[in-house]
Amino acid sequence: MRLLYSNILPLRLEEGQQSFIDYFKEAAGNSDSLEIAVGYVSKASLMELQNIVEDSGINNVCLNIGMYYLEGMPEGTYNAALSLNEAWKQAGIGEVRIVKAFKYHGKLYTFYKKGNPVAGIIGSNNLGALKLEASNLRQYEISAVTETPEEIEEVSNIIRKLKEPRCSANIQEVRVPLVREVNTALVGQEFVTRITSDEVAAYQRNVTDISFEIPLKVPENHADPRMRGSNINVCYASGRKRVWWEIEMVVGKEIRDLPGYPEHNKPFMAVTDDGWKFKAWTCGQNNKNLYSKDDLKIMGRWIKGRLVASGLVEPVNQVETDKAFKGMITEEILEKYGRNSITLTKTTVKTIAEDGTEMDVWMLSFLPNTDVQEVTV
């Protein structure tokens, strides 16, 4: 047995010492089978694990996650884990499981090659140690590694027991409580105000029966040429360059002709179900557009920002270089998110703008319609 270290000032690696990350990658490169049972993971570490599995030619892999079934799992991490599970199952190499019998807080890793034990790691390193971020960059960890076959088998025996149905299940079969993550795309943006959950609830208690369900018109998948460059994917349209966050909400005539639809070019205050407030209005020819008033990107940062927070898409810095349309929102993405429309509902509340003008307050809703239990934070 020997130790694996973090490499953080003032305790930098000394001569002869090895970091957890370096040893993990080295052991994976010498293996064809990898089994992991940890308490916590991160979205970034799941992506890094997939890269390591692919680069190392691992053909048998299982990740068992131990703390989220009872504590709740961040939605971005949950969707990343679902995606990883789907990729491994489609490739026929493994799965992602969730411990549900109890809170499992151990950190175990075993590596095998052609059925022979290569290495076993036990210690304080959760999977997040594979990809250091701001949250764990200064977090010092110590683990122990063994290359003794009998000791590796002992670690493997625990992991195998945790994989049994009495202890865990595939992540797709488990109703994991979700912790909704803050839409950071709106943090610090001009013309946008963050409000509390109590304030949101107060507005929700004053909603009226005047409500409109506005579908998000998107391609079926990334290969579908329809609806590219329009609506919330307008950044992919030819012509004027637009940033990824800019969208155009085009509302169908059958909706905007309904009684009570917001008046043309009359600003109102929009309050979102996830705690943001900004001015919006309906405008354009035949009143067909629903926009955030002061900055077209605000509505995009609200809608697309929710999908980013959920771990289903990453922002694209230069849309013109995204030839594979990786940043395009599709029906497949919205289905995974659990919502393919936004709801615009009038309230009885009035507010006063900076110029003294009275404005109606409307609720905008885009939180998922999901049967997964939600943990409020």
Side-chain angles (χ1 to χ4, degrees):
M1 183 200 80
R2 58 193 176 91
L3 296 181
L4 301 176
Y5 303 83
S6 294
N7 190 20
I8 301 174
L9 285 173
L11 296 182
R12 286 293 196 186
L13 288 176
E14 299 177 2
E15 186 176 352
Q17 294 180 344
Q18 194 169 14
S19 71
F20 171 85
I21 297 174
D22 289 343
Y23 185 87
F24 185 99
K25 292 179 178 180
E26 178 185 304
N30 294 324
S31 306
D32 56 23
S33 179
L34 168 61
E35 294 202 326
I36 303 170
V38 292
Y40 297 102
V41 300
S42 67
K43 187 172 76 169
S45 68
L46 292 169
M47 296 170 66
E48 181 66 12
L49 177 60
Q50 174 67 336
N51 292 335
I52 293 172
V53 167
E54 291 178 353
D55 293 344
S56 302
I58 301 292
N59 56 38
N60 180 62
V61 59
C62 180
L63 169 63
N64 213 343
I65 310 171
M67 294 294 288
Y68 296 126
Y69 183 74
L70 296 175
E71 286 190 355
M73 191 171 189
E75 59 180 331
T77 305
Y78 172 74
N79 282 312
L82 277 179
S83 178
L84 186 60
N85 178 70
E86 182 180 346
W88 285 350
K89 291 184 74 174
Q90 286 183 352
I93 65 172
E95 63 174 336
V96 177
R97 298 180 69 83
I98 296 287
V99 176
K100 56 181 184 175
F102 41 67
K103 286 186 177 183
Y104 168 75
H105 199 249
K107 295 90 177 175
L108 302 176
Y109 306 81
T110 56
F111 305 80
Y112 281 76
K113 179 76 170 183
K114 296 181 178 179
N116 298 313
V118 172
I121 300 175
I122 179 170
S124 66
N125 290 95
N126 275 303
L127 195 72
L130 289 183
K131 193 69 174 179
L132 298 180
E133 302 176 275
S135 60
N136 65 346
L137 194 61
R138 294 289 299 167
Q139 185 168 301
Y140 196 92
E141 307 279 4
I142 290 286
S143 290
V145 59
T146 178
E147 295 173 354
T148 303
E150 293 79 15
E151 293 177 344
I152 298 171
E153 279 296 315
E154 188 173 359
V155 177
S156 288
N157 187 47
I158 299 172
I159 295 178
R160 281 193 289 268
K161 288 180 178 179
L162 288 169
K163 288 172 61 177
E164 294 176 1
R166 60 177 178 162
C167 291
S168 66
N170 184 272
I171 190 171
Q172 290 181 321
E173 302 169 1
V174 180
R175 188 171 179 265
V176 183
L178 291 187
V179 178
R180 299 294 175 201
E181 297 187 70
V182 173
N183 177 3
T184 58
L186 285 171
V187 172
Q189 294 299 306
E190 191 177 8
F191 310 118
V192 181
T193 303
R194 183 77 165 127
I195 63 174
T196 67
S197 58
D198 287 341
E199 290 176 289
V200 172
Y203 286 113
Q204 290 174 329
R205 287 193 294 269
N206 288 280
V207 296
T208 69
D209 293 332
I210 301 174
S211 186
F212 307 93
E213 200 70 25
I214 302 171
L216 300 176
K217 302 171 184 178
V218 296
E220 180 180 357
N221 51 47
H222 290 95
D224 183 3
R226 299 171 301 165
M227 302 305 298
R228 284 182 182 172
S230 62
N231 291 279
I232 65 172
N233 290 309
V234 71
C235 59
Y236 289 96
S238 58
R240 178 170 70 89
K241 288 185 179 180
R242 303 173 188 249
V243 298
W244 187 77
W245 295 109
E246 188 174 335
I247 69 171
E248 286 186 355
M249 286 292 296
V250 179
V251 181
K253 188 175 186 299
E254 69 281 2
I255 295 175
R256 61 180 191 264
D257 283 349
L258 293 172
Y261 191 74
E263 296 179 36
H264 181 254
N265 281 359
K266 184 177 180 180
F268 58 88
M269 185 62 71
V271 173
T272 73
D273 54 359
D274 57 344
W276 299 99
K277 186 165 66 173
F278 53 85
K279 291 180 187 176
W281 63 354
T282 60
C283 56
Q285 185 179 15
N286 300 317
N287 203 25
K288 66 178 182 178
N289 299 117
L290 173 62
Y291 285 161
S292 44
K293 183 180 182 301
D294 298 304
D295 184 344
L296 290 178
K297 297 185 291 295
I298 292 174
M299 188 73 79
R301 285 181 175 274
W302 175 58
I303 294 174
K304 288 187 172 182
R306 284 291 318 135
L307 301 174
V308 171
S310 297
L312 294 170
V313 67
E314 291 292 332
V316 176
N317 291 327
Q318 293 182 302
V319 177
E320 61 272 17
T321 65
D322 185 18
K323 303 303 182 182
F325 303 106
K326 291 183 178 180
M328 181 169 289
I329 310 305
T330 65
E331 290 180 9
E332 289 180 347
I333 290 175
L334 294 177
E335 183 178 357
K336 290 179 180 179
Y337 176 68
R339 187 85 183 258
N340 61 7
S341 65
I342 66 170
T343 306
L344 177 64
T345 305
K346 190 174 184 180
T347 74
T348 59
V349 182
K350 306 282 186 178
T351 190
I352 304 298
E354 295 86 348
D355 61 1
T357 305
E358 185 178 73
M359 291 191 301
D360 293 328
V361 176
W362 290 69
M363 288 291 304
L364 277 173
S365 301
F366 187 51
L367 286 177
N369 298 319
T370 175
D371 59 358
V372 177
Q373 179 185 350
E374 183 171 318
V375 175
T376 57
V377 292

